Amino acid sequence: MPFKRDRNDYVHHHPKSSRSSSSSSTTSAQFTWLEMVWMVIVSLSYLLGYGIQISIIVERFSLEEPPHNRALYVVFFILPHVMAGLKNLQYHYREAQEDEEENSALSWVIHIVCLPFSPLIRFARAWRFGMKEKDNWEYGVRFIDELVTVGVLRLFEVFLGDGPVLCLLVRDDVWWSSQDWSMQITGPPNLLKCGPACKDIGEKPIGFWTVFRMLFLLSKMAQCVTFYLVIVKRLQRLQYPEHYRHLKGSNARQGRLNFFATLLLYLAHFFFIGSRIMGYSMVGATWGAWVYLIVGLHWLLNTAWHLITVLRSEGLTAARSVSSMVMGGVWLICLTNEQGGRQLGRFIMYYSFAFAESAICGYLWVAAMKGSGDFFEAKAPWSMLVVYLVGLVAHMLYYTLCHPGSPSITSRGLLCCSGNRWDPVDQHA
């Protein structure tokens, strides 16, 4: 059964043309016990994240002194799941046009009723195709394709939901609670003069749950991005195996990363996304709605950059414009490379923009907090810079030690907006 993604989508999948008799990478198993474990972990992370966000909303609306704009927690919880569900319905509509079995009334009811849980539908489909891979090799390709679809749907969850919610949490529980953090770390004021009263400070204002949910959401965001990048890499190898025959090792040709490479990629995104969250929340805590100006301008810049790449490779359509807007939002927290081709130039340009944004956020924080004596007055901008640098170093280590393409600093290696998706290696380099 042929299956095609629309040419206007994030990735372009043509399984009938992806098999090559001269390439062993397409005939190897795509659904293994490692994929089973990975799917279970990602599914549990998705469900746990759902529960944590609901618990955050319940807590915010039960406080005697509710935080400012607490309704935003509800908005950023509902919006990403609805948008992901609508995107999933678009995918299902295409599938229903190509396959009569997908066009059944029961299938439509499932996709509509389970719209807020659309990634779980795709996980179930991926599991079904993976189990059938032994009977037909194409099901292994469809297994990877379904996982890419899961990755796309969860990108909505990351940049429309987890990111904004985490910014609100850091604003409310860190920057706006600086006195509580100061008391927990350094103790009450006049510690030497308070005598017996110091023996019982009382309940800690910043507890385990407060820190855990922030770290969990940050880890979940890094996990989503890493999952998407790894699985897209594998799908690209299956689509066009001829472009990767020069790579050494079957795993490199298949786009499979070892544990160390995956861990480095995860850590790079964990710390880099953490620096973005810190910067945005710092501006939001001190300048309020002005943070939307910084986010909006950066979003437009990323969207324009993505549109230039698409325009030079395939031309501009309404669907590609919408896709560029989505990826422009995702690029606020991570750099993806669904276009294929050389990445070094994009990497340098992206981190330069991110550094400039970090400098602006740090300057605005210092300008607003100067002379206030706040516990985080000097700590916040330096902490953001350190977290940013750790993420940058981890990403550089990944490209230096684990990237199969061995990026080199050449005129071709620095291409950042190439119209050639695959940008073949220069024979004379």
PDB file of all heavy atoms in Angstrom, residues 2 42 49 100 106 132 136 141 167 180 249 328 393 402 406 411:
ATOM      1  N   PRO A   2       0.778   2.079  -1.017  1.00  0.00           N
ATOM      2  CA  PRO A   2       1.601   3.281  -1.046  1.00  0.00           C
ATOM      3  C   PRO A   2       1.130   4.279  -0.012  1.00  0.00           C
ATOM      4  O   PRO A   2      -0.038   4.372   0.320  1.00  0.00           O
ATOM      5  CB  PRO A   2       1.410   3.803  -2.473  1.00  0.00           C
ATOM      6  CG  PRO A   2       0.067   3.298  -2.880  1.00  0.00           C
ATOM      7  CD  PRO A   2      -0.075   1.958  -2.214  1.00  0.00           C
ATOM      8  N   VAL A  42       8.673   7.488  26.272  1.00  0.00           N
ATOM      9  CA  VAL A  42       8.103   8.721  25.735  1.00  0.00           C
ATOM     10  C   VAL A  42       6.613   8.797  26.048  1.00  0.00           C
ATOM     11  O   VAL A  42       6.082   9.877  26.372  1.00  0.00           O
ATOM     12  CB  VAL A  42       8.355   8.821  24.220  1.00  0.00           C
ATOM     13  CG1 VAL A  42       7.649  10.030  23.633  1.00  0.00           C
ATOM     14  CG2 VAL A  42       9.852   8.909  23.936  1.00  0.00           C
ATOM     15  N   GLY A  49       3.433  14.320  32.037  1.00  0.00           N
ATOM     16  CA  GLY A  49       3.412  15.752  31.787  1.00  0.00           C
ATOM     17  C   GLY A  49       1.998  16.299  31.771  1.00  0.00           C
ATOM     18  O   GLY A  49       1.731  17.404  32.270  1.00  0.00           O
ATOM     19  N   GLU A 100      -9.122   3.224   2.140  1.00  0.00           N
ATOM     20  CA  GLU A 100     -10.527   3.115   2.529  1.00  0.00           C
ATOM     21  C   GLU A 100     -10.678   2.679   3.984  1.00  0.00           C
ATOM     22  O   GLU A 100     -11.627   3.070   4.663  1.00  0.00           O
ATOM     23  CB  GLU A 100     -11.248   2.122   1.608  1.00  0.00           C
ATOM     24  CG  GLU A 100     -11.364   2.596   0.164  1.00  0.00           C
ATOM     25  CD  GLU A 100     -12.136   1.614  -0.699  1.00  0.00           C
ATOM     26  OE1 GLU A 100     -12.553   0.563  -0.158  1.00  0.00           O
ATOM     27  OE2 GLU A 100     -12.329   1.899  -1.897  1.00  0.00           O
ATOM     28  N   LEU A 106     -15.683   4.554  12.454  1.00  0.00           N
ATOM     29  CA  LEU A 106     -15.040   4.305  13.733  1.00  0.00           C
ATOM     30  C   LEU A 106     -13.703   5.026  13.836  1.00  0.00           C
ATOM     31  O   LEU A 106     -13.360   5.604  14.875  1.00  0.00           O
ATOM     32  CB  LEU A 106     -14.844   2.796  13.935  1.00  0.00           C
ATOM     33  CG  LEU A 106     -14.127   2.385  15.229  1.00  0.00           C
ATOM     34  CD1 LEU A 106     -14.913   2.854  16.452  1.00  0.00           C
ATOM     35  CD2 LEU A 106     -13.905   0.873  15.257  1.00  0.00           C
ATOM     36  N   LYS A 132       4.087  -5.498  12.443  1.00  0.00           N
ATOM     37  CA  LYS A 132       3.864  -6.119  11.127  1.00  0.00           C
ATOM     38  C   LYS A 132       5.093  -6.043  10.228  1.00  0.00           C
ATOM     39  O   LYS A 132       5.044  -6.500   9.073  1.00  0.00           O
ATOM     40  CB  LYS A 132       2.702  -5.433  10.415  1.00  0.00           C
ATOM     41  CG  LYS A 132       1.348  -5.625  11.086  1.00  0.00           C
ATOM     42  CD  LYS A 132       0.258  -4.922  10.290  1.00  0.00           C
ATOM     43  CE  LYS A 132      -1.119  -5.110  10.916  1.00  0.00           C
ATOM     44  NZ  LYS A 132      -2.157  -4.418  10.134  1.00  0.00           N
ATOM     45  N   ASN A 136       6.108  -7.395   6.070  1.00  0.00           N
ATOM     46  CA  ASN A 136       6.294  -6.492   4.940  1.00  0.00           C
ATOM     47  C   ASN A 136       7.246  -5.387   5.361  1.00  0.00           C
ATOM     48  O   ASN A 136       6.987  -4.683   6.352  1.00  0.00           O
ATOM     49  CB  ASN A 136       4.936  -5.907   4.510  1.00  0.00           C
ATOM     50  CG  ASN A 136       5.036  -5.088   3.229  1.00  0.00           C
ATOM     51  OD1 ASN A 136       6.113  -4.610   2.861  1.00  0.00           O
ATOM     52  ND2 ASN A 136       3.919  -4.929   2.545  1.00  0.00           N
ATOM     53  N   VAL A 141       9.002   1.119   7.525  1.00  0.00           N
ATOM     54  CA  VAL A 141       9.122   2.515   7.126  1.00  0.00           C
ATOM     55  C   VAL A 141       7.941   3.309   7.676  1.00  0.00           C
ATOM     56  O   VAL A 141       8.102   4.433   8.163  1.00  0.00           O
ATOM     57  CB  VAL A 141       9.182   2.634   5.594  1.00  0.00           C
ATOM     58  CG1 VAL A 141       9.371   4.084   5.178  1.00  0.00           C
ATOM     59  CG2 VAL A 141      10.302   1.776   5.036  1.00  0.00           C
ATOM     60  N   CYS A 167       7.913  29.067  31.751  1.00  0.00           N
ATOM     61  CA  CYS A 167       8.265  30.477  31.964  1.00  0.00           C
ATOM     62  C   CYS A 167       7.424  31.080  33.086  1.00  0.00           C
ATOM     63  O   CYS A 167       7.940  31.827  33.935  1.00  0.00           O
ATOM     64  CB  CYS A 167       8.046  31.274  30.676  1.00  0.00           C
ATOM     65  SG  CYS A 167       9.311  31.024  29.406  1.00  0.00           S
ATOM     66  N   ASP A 180      11.810  34.128  49.540  1.00  0.00           N
ATOM     67  CA  ASP A 180      11.676  32.741  50.013  1.00  0.00           C
ATOM     68  C   ASP A 180      12.923  31.932  49.695  1.00  0.00           C
ATOM     69  O   ASP A 180      13.390  31.144  50.519  1.00  0.00           O
ATOM     70  CB  ASP A 180      10.448  32.088  49.383  1.00  0.00           C
ATOM     71  CG  ASP A 180       9.154  32.793  49.774  1.00  0.00           C
ATOM     72  OD1 ASP A 180       9.148  33.426  50.841  1.00  0.00           O
ATOM     73  OD2 ASP A 180       8.168  32.701  49.021  1.00  0.00           O
ATOM     74  N   GLY A 249      30.008   2.976   8.623  1.00  0.00           N
ATOM     75  CA  GLY A 249      29.211   2.256   9.612  1.00  0.00           C
ATOM     76  C   GLY A 249      27.741   2.226   9.244  1.00  0.00           C
ATOM     77  O   GLY A 249      27.179   3.202   8.763  1.00  0.00           O
ATOM     78  N   GLY A 328       9.272  28.406  13.050  1.00  0.00           N
ATOM     79  CA  GLY A 328       9.829  29.624  13.620  1.00  0.00           C
ATOM     80  C   GLY A 328       9.600  29.703  15.112  1.00  0.00           C
ATOM     81  O   GLY A 328      10.450  30.181  15.865  1.00  0.00           O
ATOM     82  N   VAL A 393      28.468  24.138  24.679  1.00  0.00           N
ATOM     83  CA  VAL A 393      29.592  23.192  24.735  1.00  0.00           C
ATOM     84  C   VAL A 393      29.108  21.766  24.468  1.00  0.00           C
ATOM     85  O   VAL A 393      29.754  21.011  23.719  1.00  0.00           O
ATOM     86  CB  VAL A 393      30.306  23.288  26.098  1.00  0.00           C
ATOM     87  CG1 VAL A 393      31.309  22.156  26.258  1.00  0.00           C
ATOM     88  CG2 VAL A 393      31.005  24.635  26.242  1.00  0.00           C
ATOM     89  N   CYS A 402      30.338  12.951  17.716  1.00  0.00           N
ATOM     90  CA  CYS A 402      29.291  11.983  17.399  1.00  0.00           C
ATOM     91  C   CYS A 402      28.610  12.192  16.059  1.00  0.00           C
ATOM     92  O   CYS A 402      27.905  11.293  15.594  1.00  0.00           O
ATOM     93  CB  CYS A 402      28.207  12.016  18.486  1.00  0.00           C
ATOM     94  SG  CYS A 402      28.831  11.753  20.156  1.00  0.00           S
ATOM     95  N   SER A 406      30.935  14.548  10.164  1.00  0.00           N
ATOM     96  CA  SER A 406      32.205  15.208  10.469  1.00  0.00           C
ATOM     97  C   SER A 406      32.254  16.613   9.870  1.00  0.00           C
ATOM     98  O   SER A 406      32.976  16.875   8.902  1.00  0.00           O
ATOM     99  CB  SER A 406      33.381  14.378   9.940  1.00  0.00           C
ATOM    100  OG  SER A 406      33.401  13.113  10.540  1.00  0.00           O
ATOM    101  N   SER A 411      33.931  26.703   2.807  1.00  0.00           N
ATOM    102  CA  SER A 411      32.918  27.573   2.212  1.00  0.00           C
ATOM    103  C   SER A 411      31.601  26.822   2.038  1.00  0.00           C
ATOM    104  O   SER A 411      30.524  27.384   2.205  1.00  0.00           O
ATOM    105  CB  SER A 411      33.398  28.094   0.856  1.00  0.00           C
ATOM    106  OG  SER A 411      33.685  27.007  -0.019  1.00  0.00           O
TER     107      SER A 411
END
